[in-house]
RNA sequence: GGAGGGAUGGCAGAGCGGUCGAAUGCGGCGGUCUUGAAAACCGCAGACCCGCAAGGGUCCAGGGGUUCGAAUCCCCUUCCCUCCUCCA
């Protein structure tokens, strides 16, 4: 959500932001409804003040035993009471409509975000490492995984459906080694506090992070008001919904491992081979709550924390500044980390690091006080994957494969794997 | 799933249909005193909305209702606690 004040003072700024993102949003509806609301509110409050005065008078007359005068005063309240009831009804309607419209307004892209409407306009900021050279034709992870008995996609599809991968043997251990090592790294080396959140959340939480109402189709529904999380971002961010933090709490750095569930509605057939796009996956998510003036520095730190894992794994990757139109609904600025997967011959997105500024904080009503007695202000919220496991799993297999079909285990994972190499039949 | 009991300011905890935005205690902040601190004493402090302001309005889990008037009465929902049931 944006500051309502901004719709009054600089609506063109909002229109420009929507245009840069290529999103049609009901900006004019918000402006109109906000105006109607304030006008109605002024009238209504005047009537309520009058009513309060009369009621007080009646109370006093009663106390003095002037019953008849009290009754006479009562008679005068009838019209006023009806007017107030009608006004309250109307206000409820306007509030609901205003809220509905507001929730569909995207966050505005920061000035530093590149222009453009799709990924072709994203800007590569930096690269780390190099594409590994092979003396043979590198295989894709689905072939490696099947040959080494690490990945059983057909049986996963049998028990759940396509897009529900099943990891087996050393494959399961590798998957576990990845998230285990990453959560340990972020909490022990990088100062994040570990959180293990619920996997199902209510609608209010989904609205708080900006997943609802616009992207309801993308998540699985488990019950009347219970939804499977598409990312730990949702429960972790909403941990502090409707709370006021103190300045000393900030910056609050949280790291959470969780399963993630996405319907990927409309994405059928697109980049879906192997582990490229799945309905269920594991991920370590990093979330920061900070003071507004710190959020852009924190975005750089967050990105560096996620990058550190790729460096530790020795995987070639690049950092991309996502353009306004490819960034989506919630972000003000976003960096994607893309790891090189030599088998599929492409860079795979394994992390999106975003600064949401106050967009989520306003929706979820998360504030802080600079000092005792100070007026609460909205925090800035950031998050980023650190990292998403399946694509990382794919990149590890493809990067460290050898000509004989075995895969070396990178040093970073050896303490958890207990082996230095994954070979056929192991 | 069944039966009860609860939800009030940072915390604890009063609250009788009007004098309750709410006693009191603790905690917090500012003083007095003190070389400094503690103790004692005095004082100040909730959130939100509209408004340049003056001021006004709303908020006692959330939502409806009764009433001229609701923290107080009625209904619904959510959450917490106790007991039973079930269960990794």
């Amino acid at each position: 959500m944006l500051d309502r004040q901004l719709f009054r003072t600089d609506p063109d700024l909002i229109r420009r932001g929507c245009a840069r993102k290529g999103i049609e949003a009901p900006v004019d509806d918000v402006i109109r409804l906000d105006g109607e609301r304030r006008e109605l509110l002024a009238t209504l409050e005047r009537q309520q003040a009058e009513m309060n005065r009369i009621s007080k008078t009646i109370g006093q007359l009663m106390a003095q035993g002037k019953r008849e005068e009290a009754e006479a005063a009562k008679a005068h309240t009838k019209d006023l009471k009806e007017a107030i009831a009608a006004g309250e009804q109307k206000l409820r309607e306007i509030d609901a409509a205003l809220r509905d419209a507001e929730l569909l307004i995207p966050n505005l892209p920061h000035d530093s975000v590149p222009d453009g409407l799709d990924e072709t306009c994203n800007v590569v900021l930096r690269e780390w490492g190099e594409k590994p050279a092979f003396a043979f034709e590198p295989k894709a992870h689905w072939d490696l995984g099947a040959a080494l008995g690490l990945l059983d996609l057909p049986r996963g599809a049998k028990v759940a459906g396509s897009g529900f991968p099943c990891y087996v043997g050393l494959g399961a251990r590798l998957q576990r080694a990845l998230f285990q090592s990453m959560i340990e790294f972020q909490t022990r080396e990088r100062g994040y506090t570990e959180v293990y959140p619920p996997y199902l959340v209510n609608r209010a939480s989904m609205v708080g992070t900006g997943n609802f109402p616009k992207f309801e189709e993308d998540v699985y529904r488990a019950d009347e008001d219970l939804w499977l999380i598409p990312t730990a971002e949702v429960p972790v961010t909403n941990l502090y919904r409707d709370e006021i933090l103190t300045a000393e709490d900030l910056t609050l750095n949280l790291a959470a491992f969780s399963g993630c569930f996405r319907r990927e509605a409309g994405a059928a057939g697109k980049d879906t081979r192997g582990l490229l796009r799945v309905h269920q996956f594991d991920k370590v998510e990093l979330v920061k709550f900070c003071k507004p003036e710190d959020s852009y520095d924190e975005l750089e730190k967050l990105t560096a924390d996620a990058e550190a894992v790729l460096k530790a794994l020795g995987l070639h990757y690049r950092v991309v500044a996502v353009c306004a139109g490819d960034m989506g609904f919630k972000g003000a600025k976003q960096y994607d980390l893309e790891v090189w997967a030599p088998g599929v011959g492409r860079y795979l997105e394994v992390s999106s690091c975003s600064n949401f500024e106050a967009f989520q904080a306003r929706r979820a009503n998360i504030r802080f006080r600079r000092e005792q007695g100070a007026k609460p202000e909205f925090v800035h919220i950031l998050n980023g994957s650190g990292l998403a496991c399946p694509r990382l799993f794919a990149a590890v297999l493809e990067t460290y494969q050898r000509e004989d079909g075995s895969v070396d285990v990178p040093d970073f994972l050896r303490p958890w794997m207990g082996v230095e190499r994954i070979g056929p039949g192991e």
Side-chain angles (χ1 to χ4, degrees):
Chain A
M1 237 156 39
L2 301 177
D3 186 352
R4 220 173 257 180
Q5 198 72 37
L6 199 56
F7 288 86
R8 297 168 204 158
T9 56
D10 199 354
D12 281 334
L13 183 72
I14 298 173
R15 292 193 186 96
R16 276 201 302 278
C18 292
R20 285 190 73 201
K21 282 196 168 180
I23 294 175
E24 291 263 354
V27 177
D28 292 321
D29 289 347
V30 172
I31 294 170
R32 177 177 52 79
L33 289 164
D34 175 54
E36 287 179 19
R37 179 178 176 278
R38 282 185 300 154
E39 198 174 319
L40 177 62
L41 199 58
T43 307
L44 189 57
E45 288 185 356
R46 220 179 308 114
Q47 293 168 331
Q48 284 169 328
E50 176 66 12
M51 189 63 138
N52 289 344
R53 264 193 296 280
I54 295 175
S55 291
K56 196 158 251 178
T57 310
I58 291 173
Q60 284 164 357
L61 290 172
M62 293 291 222
Q64 293 164 17
K66 298 176 181 171
R67 193 153 263 289
E68 281 186 22
E69 283 179 56
E71 288 301 326
K74 270 194 203 182
H76 287 302
T77 63
K78 188 166 176 289
D79 288 348
L80 198 50
K81 198 184 175 188
E82 280 171 9
I84 289 173
E88 283 175 340
Q89 176 60 33
K90 181 72 182 164
L91 185 63
R92 271 197 291 271
E93 288 167 18
I94 290 178
D95 275 337
L98 181 54
R99 173 97 182 155
D100 287 349
E102 257 180 332
L103 290 177
L104 294 174
I105 308 288
N107 200 1
L108 304 180
H110 190 259
D111 285 341
S112 64
V113 169
D115 282 319
L117 290 179
D118 58 46
E119 71 276 7
T120 60
C121 297
N122 293 348
V123 176
V124 176
L125 292 182
R126 58 182 174 271
E127 299 191 17
W128 186 90
E130 292 175 2
K131 293 178 185 173
F134 293 92
F136 56 95
E137 187 66 27
K139 294 182 188 137
H141 63 276
W142 50 82
D143 289 332
L144 288 165
L148 293 170
L150 306 178
L151 210 48
D152 192 343
L153 265 15
R155 289 198 176 94
K158 176 166 67 181
V159 295
S162 100
F164 290 90
C166 183
Y167 303 86
V168 179
L170 285 178
R173 193 189 291 176
L174 176 58
Q175 174 75 0
R176 182 162 50 81
L178 284 170
F179 62 70
Q180 178 88 323
S181 59
M182 292 193 290
I183 191 82
E184 292 267 321
F185 175 77
Q186 299 299 351
T187 55
R188 293 191 193 218
E189 308 289 328
R190 297 280 168 150
Y192 288 81
T193 299
E194 186 167 354
V195 172
Y196 185 72
Y199 281 21
L200 284 80
V201 297
N202 53 32
R203 170 174 290 274
S205 295
M206 286 292 196
V207 170
T209 36
N211 297 76
F212 283 12
K214 204 169 158 65
F215 304 103
E216 197 167 326
E217 298 308 311
D218 296 343
V219 305
Y220 290 105
R221 185 176 197 172
D223 203 347
E224 176 59 27
D225 188 24
L226 218 39
W227 313 75
L228 274 70
I229 56 172
T231 156
E233 164 194 351
V234 179
V236 173
T237 302
N238 279 282
L239 249 24
Y240 296 96
R241 176 149 48 83
D242 294 319
E243 293 193 28
I244 299 174
L245 305 170
T246 65
E248 298 80 66
D249 294 330
L250 307 176
T251 296
L252 183 58
N253 299 297
L254 305 176
F257 160 77
S258 87
C260 302
F261 308 89
R262 300 186 181 179
R263 293 186 62 202
E264 301 292 358
K270 194 182 165 199
D271 303 335
T272 51
R273 280 206 77 178
L275 296 172
L276 295 182
R277 183 186 291 274
V278 289
H279 292 305
Q280 175 185 321
F281 62 96
D282 295 314
K283 179 162 64 63
V284 169
E285 182 76 2
L286 307 174
V287 180
K288 286 174 179 275
F289 301 78
C290 70
K291 294 179 188 166
E293 62 269 30
D294 297 333
S295 68
Y296 281 91
D297 287 341
E298 292 289 355
L299 177 61
E300 299 303 322
K301 287 189 202 164
L302 177 69
T303 308
D305 291 334
E307 283 183 67
V309 174
L310 291 171
K311 288 177 181 167
L313 285 167
L315 297 173
H316 167 56
Y317 71 92
R318 63 186 189 185
V319 181
V320 173
V322 179
C323 75
D326 193 34
M327 193 161 61
F329 183 71
K330 312 183 281 186
K333 183 166 187 173
Q334 179 181 331
Y335 297 131
D336 280 357
L337 305 188
E338 299 180 343
V339 69
W340 176 248
V344 296
R346 284 178 28 203
Y347 285 97
L348 307 179
E349 182 188 325
V350 285
S351 178
S352 270
C353 300
S354 305
N355 183 359
F356 302 101
E357 298 188 359
F359 186 79
Q360 292 185 323
R362 249 184 227 106
R363 287 181 164 241
N365 192 28
I366 303 173
R367 296 170 294 170
F368 78 106
R369 260 190 256 274
R370 287 187 188 273
E371 53 198 61
Q372 178 105 26
K375 190 179 168 62
E377 300 170 51
F378 289 110
V379 298
H380 277 197
I381 298 174
L382 304 91
N383 71 50
S385 333
L387 308 153
C389 290
R391 291 177 187 165
L392 199 57
F393 183 101
V396 167
L397 289 190
E398 295 183 11
T399 297
Y400 289 102
Q401 62 180 301
R402 298 160 62 114
E403 190 156 18
D404 64 5
S406 63
V407 172
D408 285 325
V409 174
D411 291 342
F412 186 66
L413 298 177
R414 286 188 187 171
W416 283 276
M417 288 301 289
V419 298
E420 296 184 358
R421 191 188 302 176
I422 302 170
E426 289 181 42

